[in-house]
């Protein structure tokens, strides 16, 4: 999940970075890495966007440059131009419309076809193929000019994102909340392409439905949040690019950065600065990760982890609501680490027990295996005090960059 108190993200420092991203959006390149380490050092200082949470990361050259399964950075979403200092990714902006002519501007982050994923520089997500349940996916046709026509699904970007924390001692749940964008009953980012010779689902989150003229006034980063997704920090149809803020998390002890674009619950969407998409409630969420029919992977969201911006174990929603930084969620499998990646994540809320807190057992978890271990020991519970489990919330969080 993203920053909760101030959803606006620092804008790109100069037009130079935007122009560079626009020129080569498909180049798998980290455009700003931050300060490199000393020669021959295997570690270096973390870039500014993640420095409060991580002080060191792997330096280059790294083993992952030889084999991505090894230690080191890996660009997952090859179409992304990544700025580690700002914590942003610039992606190709796609053009589309609804059947009634309403403009639709979107990005593509994942597909269920490996060859097409490689072609478009996006993630391969085979499990997403099980998303053809109910209204969890919608249909689109690709026109002769390459634009998409969607059969249904619209997003209202006019609501004002708001999250008001609870009392200082118990900031979660918040006193009030409002997602900054709301999809109608048929909107979903999962899109089935009707006129493809291959049966393919694409993860295609909508970032705006404003006119091209309106959006071309936002190329310099002065965006109108009433017209765009709250993660957008710059958007430019003229250059065919959009820049979005990234979120820091962990997977199997490795820090990663990912996008967060939709959620099927209004509270989760508000905390994520994401679009509330009720249609995603039709996705299955209670199966095991590798079960036939399971389209989502697991994400662990700690509620009451250690607080304090300088605490090396800081983590959780209470911390995020208190200090404004992200909660450092724990994701399951991603490409290069496991076979069960999906951009759709079924949410496992994790509440440390009173006994764990009293005995000083709380710490920053960085692996779903650690959460499972603490659960079996009785130190992690769900929101209702019951067993640690998926509770029906689903978030769309495509992985962009593996930091280590």
């Amino acid at each position: 999940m993203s920053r909760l108190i101030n959803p606006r993200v620092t804008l790109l420092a100069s037009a130079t970075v935007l122009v560079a991203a626009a020129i080569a959006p498909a180049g798998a390149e980290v455009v700003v890495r931050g300060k490199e380490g000393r020669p021959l050092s295997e570690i270096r200082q973390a870039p500014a966007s993640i420095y409060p949470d991580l002080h060191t990361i792997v330096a280059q050259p790294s083993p992952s440059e030889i084999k991505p399964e090894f230690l080191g950075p890996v660009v997952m979403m090859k179409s992304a131009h990544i700025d580690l200092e700002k914590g942003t990714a610039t992606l190709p902006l796609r053009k589309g419309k609804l059947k009634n002519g309403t403009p639709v501007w979107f990005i593509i982050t994942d597909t269920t076809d490996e060859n097409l994923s490689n072609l478009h520089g996006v993630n391969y997500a085979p499990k997403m193929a099980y998303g053809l349940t109910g209204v969890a996916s919608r249909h689109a046709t690709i026109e002769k000019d390459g634009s998409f026509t969607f059969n249904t699904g619209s997003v209202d970007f006019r609501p004002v994102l708001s999250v008001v924390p609870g009392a200082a001692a118990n900031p979660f749940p918040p006193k009030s909340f409002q997602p900054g964008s709301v999809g109608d009953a048929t909107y979903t980012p999962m899109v089935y392409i009707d006129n493809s010779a291959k049966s393919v689902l694409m993860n295609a989150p909508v970032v705006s439905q404003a006119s091209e003229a309106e959006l071309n006034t936002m190329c310099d980063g002065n965006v109108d949040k009433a017209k765009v997704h709250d993660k957008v920090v710059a958007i430019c149809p003229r250059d065919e690019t959009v820049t979005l803020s990234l979120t820091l998390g962990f997977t199997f002890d490795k820090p990663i950065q990912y996008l967060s674009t939709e959620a099927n619950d209004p509270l989760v969407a508000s905390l994520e600065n994401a679009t509330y998409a009720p249609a995603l409630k039709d996705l299955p969420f209670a199966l095991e990760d590798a079960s036939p029919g399971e389209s989502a992977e697991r994400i662990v969201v700690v509620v009451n982890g250690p607080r304090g911006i300088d605490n090396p174990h800081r983590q959780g929603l209470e911390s995020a609501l208190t200090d404004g930084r992200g909660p450092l969620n724990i994701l399951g499998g991603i490409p290069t680490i496991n076979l069960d990646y999906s951009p759709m994540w079924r949410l496992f809320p994790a509440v440390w027990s009173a006994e764990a807190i009293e005995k000083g057992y709380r710490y920053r978890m960085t692996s779903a295996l650690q959460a499972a271990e603490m659960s079996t020991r009785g130190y992690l519970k769900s929101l209702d005090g019951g067993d640690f489990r998926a509770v029906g919330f689903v978030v769309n969080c495509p992985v962009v960059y593996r930091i280590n």
Side-chain angles (χ1 to χ4, degrees), residues 11-156:
L11 302 179
L12 290 174
S14 69
T16 303
V17 175
L18 278 175
V19 170
I23 292 173
E29 180 182 354
V30 179
V31 296
V32 179
R33 286 181 47 84
K35 183 180 179 180
E36 292 295 344
R38 295 175 298 172
L40 307 182
S41 175
E42 293 184 334
I43 62 172
R44 68 181 181 93
Q45 179 176 303
S49 67
I50 63 174
Y51 186 79
D53 300 304
L54 295 174
H55 281 200
T56 58
I57 63 173
V58 173
Q60 285 187 312
S62 63
S64 63
E65 295 174 41
I66 304 301
K67 190 175 183 179
E69 289 78 7
F70 289 165
L71 178 68
V74 179
V75 177
M76 301 290 180
M77 198 175 296
K78 299 297 192 296
S79 58
H81 229 64
I82 301 164
D83 188 328
L84 291 179
E85 282 291 298
K86 301 299 181 184
T88 61
T90 299
L91 299 172
L93 180 65
R94 314 281 178 165
K95 183 179 182 180
K97 66 180 184 298
L98 296 175
K99 285 185 174 181
N100 63 7
T102 300
V104 176
W105 302 94
F106 64 100
I107 57 176
I108 296 176
T109 62
D110 313 79
T111 85
T112 55
D113 182 89
E114 187 171 14
N115 291 330
L116 291 178
S117 289
N118 290 334
L119 174 65
H120 301 312
V122 299
N123 296 317
Y124 173 45
K127 275 174 53 171
M128 198 172 63
Y130 293 126
L132 290 172
T133 52
V135 294
S137 61
R138 57 185 177 139
H139 290 250
T141 300
I142 301 177
E143 305 296 344
K144 290 170 63 177
D145 63 357
S147 66
F148 284 49
T149 298
F150 298 91
N151 69 329
T152 186
S154 185
V155 180
D156 183 359

Side-chain angles (χ1 to χ4, degrees), residues 70-248:
F70 289 165
L71 178 68
V74 179
V75 177
M76 301 290 180
M77 198 175 296
K78 299 297 192 296
S79 58
H81 229 64
I82 301 164
D83 188 328
L84 291 179
E85 282 291 298
K86 301 299 181 184
T88 61
T90 299
L91 299 172
L93 180 65
R94 314 281 178 165
K95 183 179 182 180
K97 66 180 184 298
L98 296 175
K99 285 185 174 181
N100 63 7
T102 300
V104 176
W105 302 94
F106 64 100
I107 57 176
I108 296 176
T109 62
D110 313 79
T111 85
T112 55
D113 182 89
E114 187 171 14
N115 291 330
L116 291 178
S117 289
N118 290 334
L119 174 65
H120 301 312
V122 299
N123 296 317
Y124 173 45
K127 275 174 53 171
M128 198 172 63
Y130 293 126
L132 290 172
T133 52
V135 294
S137 61
R138 57 185 177 139
H139 290 250
T141 300
I142 301 177
E143 305 296 344
K144 290 170 63 177
D145 63 357
S147 66
F148 284 49
T149 298
F150 298 91
N151 69 329
T152 186
S154 185
V155 180
D156 183 359
F157 293 98
R158 291 172 300 177
V160 178
L161 174 65
S162 174
V163 178
V164 180
N170 298 290
F172 183 86
K175 290 180 182 177
S176 63
F177 56 88
Q178 169 62 55
S181 50
V182 179
D184 65 18
T186 61
Y187 170 71
T188 169
M190 293 200 299
V191 177
Y192 186 88
I193 307 302
D194 286 335
N195 58 337
S196 169
K198 292 186 174 185
S199 180
V200 60
L201 267 174
M202 292 184 171
N203 189 17
V206 171
V207 295
S208 181
Q209 291 188 203
S211 70
E212 184 168 349
E214 288 175 304
L215 295 182
N216 276 330
T217 67
M218 307 180 197
C219 293
D220 62 355
N222 186 23
V223 300
D224 182 352
K225 293 295 185 180
K227 292 181 171 61
V228 300
H229 194 287
D230 281 294
K231 289 296 180 68
V232 171
V233 297
I235 186 168
C236 194
R238 182 180 65 235
D239 295 335
E240 300 177 345
T241 61
V242 59
T243 301
L244 301 101
S245 58
L246 296 169
T247 301
L248 177 65

Side-chain angles (χ1 to χ4, degrees), residues 300-363:
V300 178
V301 178
V302 176
V303 174
N304 60 340
R307 295 194 210 176
I309 197 71
D310 296 323
N311 188 337
H313 287 294
R314 176 202 166 276
Q315 185 175 49
L317 294 176
E318 290 186 352
S319 292
L321 285 163
T322 301
D323 58 38
R325 290 196 63 81
L328 304 178
N329 297 325
I330 308 148
L331 287 72
I334 66 167
T336 74
I337 291 178
N338 211 333
L339 298 171
D340 54 358
Y341 166 73
S342 170
M344 304 299 159
W345 303 86
R346 50 198 179 108
L347 198 150
F348 286 66
V351 179
W352 286 101
S353 69
E355 180 184 2
I357 296 172
E358 180 181 348
K359 292 182 176 180
Y361 290 168
R362 283 191 301 178
Y363 68 102

